[in-house]
Every structure is written in C-alpha cells, then in structure tokens.
C-alpha cells in the first residue's frame, strides 16, 4: 500500500515525487514504463525556460523554476548544475501581432517578469543579425529566460525523491481500479497490483490514454515535434550568443553550443502522425522553417542541416494550458498534464502544487485553481496564446 502513486517518471512526475518525499511518513511510488528514459518528452525537450506567456499562472509556474535554479545547490547539494544559459527569448511580431504582444507584455510585467519592448532602431542595434523587415515590435526577456539541460533537471529531481525513499517501479499501467468516487489501485501489465491512497497522472503525452482507464475524458494527446540542428559559417559571435528567437511565422531558432537548433509548431492541418519518434520528416524544415529563418536572419541563407530529432508534446486540445488538480468525480485522482510544450519549465511548480493538494487539501504556494479539471468538464477553455 502506497500513500501516493505517480504514473510518469519525467520531469513533472519526478517533481511531484521530490515534493511529496519531503513530507514525513508518506510512502511514495513512481511508475515509469521506459527504464532508459530515452523516449520520454523531458529527454527530448529543447529545455526552454521563459516568462513570456499570456496566462499569469504560466508565468508564475516558470518563476517557480527560476527560484529553484537560483538555489540548486541548497536544494540538491554541492555540484548540482543544469547548465542554465540566460540568453533570453526574443519574440518578434508583425503589425497584425503587435497588439497581442503588447497585451501580453502588460500581463508579464504585472507578474514581475523583466521583459523589454523593442522596436525600430533599438531592435536593429541590439540584434544586428536580424532582418527587421516586417517586424513591427518585439519583446525580449532580458532576465530570467533561456534554456537548461532537461535531463540534468529530471535526474536531480528523481535522485532527490529516490534518496528520500520514493520507490521507482518500471512498468506500464494496464488498469485503474476504482469505485464511483475514488481510485483504489492500479495494475501493471505484468499483473502486479498496487494499491494507493492517491494517484497522480503525470504520464505526459499518454495522460489521456491513462485517464481513459478510469473512464475519464482528458483532452491530452501526443503531438510530434521536430527539432532540427543546423549551422552556418556566416553566423556571427553575437548571433551565437543571442536569445531564442521566434519569428512572426512561428519558426524559432536558438544557439546550441557552436550550432543552432530550430523548429516550428505546425498548424492543425499539418500535424504529423504521433507515432515513431525515429522517423524524421525533413520537409517542414525545407519548406517552412528554413525559408522563414533565412529571410529573417540572412546568415542562415547558407545554413547546413546537420541532424534532427523528434519528441512529443502532451498537447491539451482544449486550450493548450496545463490541467492541474483533482478529478471532479474521483477525488483522489490528480492531474498534472497538458502542458503543450512547456512542461519542463513548469514541472517544479506543478509538482509542488499537486503535492500541496494531496497533503494539505488546497494550494498553498501558487493558486492554480483556474488550471483545474473543472474547466475541462465544463468545456470552458482558458487559452494560452504563446505556445511555441
């Protein structure tokens, strides 16, 4: 018998385990189906950390991670490091997107984010490697934005939970046993039955499938995303030290050592099949990503494609925002899902929030009530506008 069972051993699940194991006396288990962690979304993440969101709760969740990054060694011990590159995010807007960018900036600054409005000559002087044609304005995260090593953060959280007594069980959940009001146990595909006082769904892209085992409609599904690795001999040192840049087209680029990584979130009509991660489609790069980036950044006109990889978003089809909190019917079934591409940077705060609900019965640090399952049950979306 475990007090809490967490399904999913990526960053979100590990964060929940990390926080729960700080409560004395709780027996915690984390179920992860992939013992290598090679195909989990965390391991294939680009590692971004940003505060440029349109929803205050998303900003607050990322700020929770920033607080953690500022105190890594106090939290995990001497030598803890996730290679935080504080190079910022630069989001470019056309004339059509200028008002949305300005409205988002008001929300971000109200939340304490250090985001700068950049336009005209200021844009040209700060980022001379960018072609400003068609750019009406930009927002730049001058502090508290950049990227980290996602596996390093997941490993620190998992090691912390394991050292505090969390059992890590490798297996796939085949059934969820419940009555009309509560989860009673889960069964793994090897026949093992595990009883639990509470169950956390942190299964990432497969959260919707897990919820269906309990007869719950959770609008989360895997969405496949490609990350392309490129280089250009014309790239300046300023460009290599620059921010993650998002073009008005949606194509993005950031430095990665001496190279760059880039990609784009496709429109609904162009979504790739979310199956084999080993298959890489290079057509989006050739047809969309590279033309957009080459037009925006002249140094990329001679870009060389080096390699690529694919990973999954746990995509919330209702509103692209996280679902955090208990089910409205099964009171001990908790969700931490649907982050739609920003789960890594929000894992620490989301895991803490679910732990608070289980231990204390309410949110104590961040009020994430609006992210609860109730909005899903009502079919009332809370849209996030800055999904990258």
């Amino acid at each position: 018998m475990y007090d809490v069972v967490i399904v999913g051993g990526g960053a979100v699940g590990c964060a929940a385990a990390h926080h729960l194991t700080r409560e004395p006396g709780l027996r915690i288990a984390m179920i992860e189906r992939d013992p290598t962690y090679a195909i989990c979304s965390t391991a294939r993440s680009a590692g971004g950390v940003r505060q440029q969101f349109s929803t205050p709760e998303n900003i607050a969740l990322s700020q929770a991670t920033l607080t953690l990054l500022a105190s890594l060694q106090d939290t995990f011990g001497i030598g803890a490091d996730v290679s935080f590159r504080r190079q910022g995010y630069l989001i470019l807007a056309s004339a059509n997107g200028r008002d949305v960018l300005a409205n988002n900036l008001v929300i971000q600054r109200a939340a304490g984010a250090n985001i700068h409005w950049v336009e005209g000559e200021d844009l040209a002087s700060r980022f001379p490697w960018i072609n400003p044609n068609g750019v009406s304005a930009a927002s730049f995260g001058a502090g508290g934005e950049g990227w980290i090593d996602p596996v390093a953060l997941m490993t620190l959280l998992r090691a912390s939970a394991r050292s505090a007594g969390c059992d890590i069980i490798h297996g796939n959940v085949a059934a969820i046993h419940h009555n009309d009001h509560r989860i009673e146990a889960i069964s793994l595909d090897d026949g093992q039955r595990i009883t639990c006082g509470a169950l956390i769904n942190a299964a990432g892209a497969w959260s919707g499938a897990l919820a269906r085992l309990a007869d719950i409609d959770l609008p989360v599904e895997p969405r496949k995303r490609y990350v392309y690795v490129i280089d250009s001999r014309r790239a300046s040192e300023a460009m290599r030290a620059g921010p993650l840049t998002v073009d008005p087209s949606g194509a993005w680029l950031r430095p990665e050592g001496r190279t760059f990584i880039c990609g784009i979130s496709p429109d609904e009509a162009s979504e790739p099949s979310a199956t084999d991660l080993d298959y890489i489609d290079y057509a989006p790069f050739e047809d969309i990503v590279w033309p957009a980036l080459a037009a925006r950044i002249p140094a990329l006109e001679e870009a060389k494609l080096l390699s690529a990889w694919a990973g999954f978003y746990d995509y919330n089809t209702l509103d692209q925002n996280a679902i955090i909190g208990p089910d409205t019917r099964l009171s001990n079934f908790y969700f931490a899902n649907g982050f739609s591409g920003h789960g890594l940077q929000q894992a620490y705060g989301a895991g803490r929030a679910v732990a608070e609900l289980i231990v204390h019965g309410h949110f104590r640090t961040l009020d994430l009530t609006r992210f609860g399952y109730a909005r899903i049950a009502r079919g009332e979306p809370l849209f996030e506008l800055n999904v990258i």
Side-chain angles (χ1 to χ4, degrees), residues 18 35 54 57 78 107 126 132 147 262 316 321 371-372 388:
H18 164 80
S54 65
E57 289 86 348
I78 301 299
I107 296 169
R126 285 198 192 197
W147 48 92
C262 59
N316 177 353
N321 260 325
F371 278 0
I388 297 174

Side-chain angles (χ1 to χ4, degrees), residues 286-306:
E286 296 289 348
D287 298 340
I288 303 171
V289 177
W290 177 62
L293 292 178
R296 182 62 54 209
I297 304 171
L300 297 181
E301 291 173 355
E302 299 177 13
K304 180 180 180 181
L305 178 61
L306 303 178

Side-chain angles (χ1 to χ4, degrees), residues 231-240 258 260 297 299-300:
D231 198 10
S232 171
R233 62 182 181 179
R234 291 175 53 192
S236 66
E237 290 305 308
M239 181 177 162
R240 295 186 190 278
R258 297 296 298 174
F260 300 88
I297 304 171
L300 297 181

Side-chain angles (χ1 to χ4, degrees), residues 128-143:
W129 39 272
I130 288 178
N131 174 6
N133 290 345
V135 176
S136 177
S139 57
F140 174 55

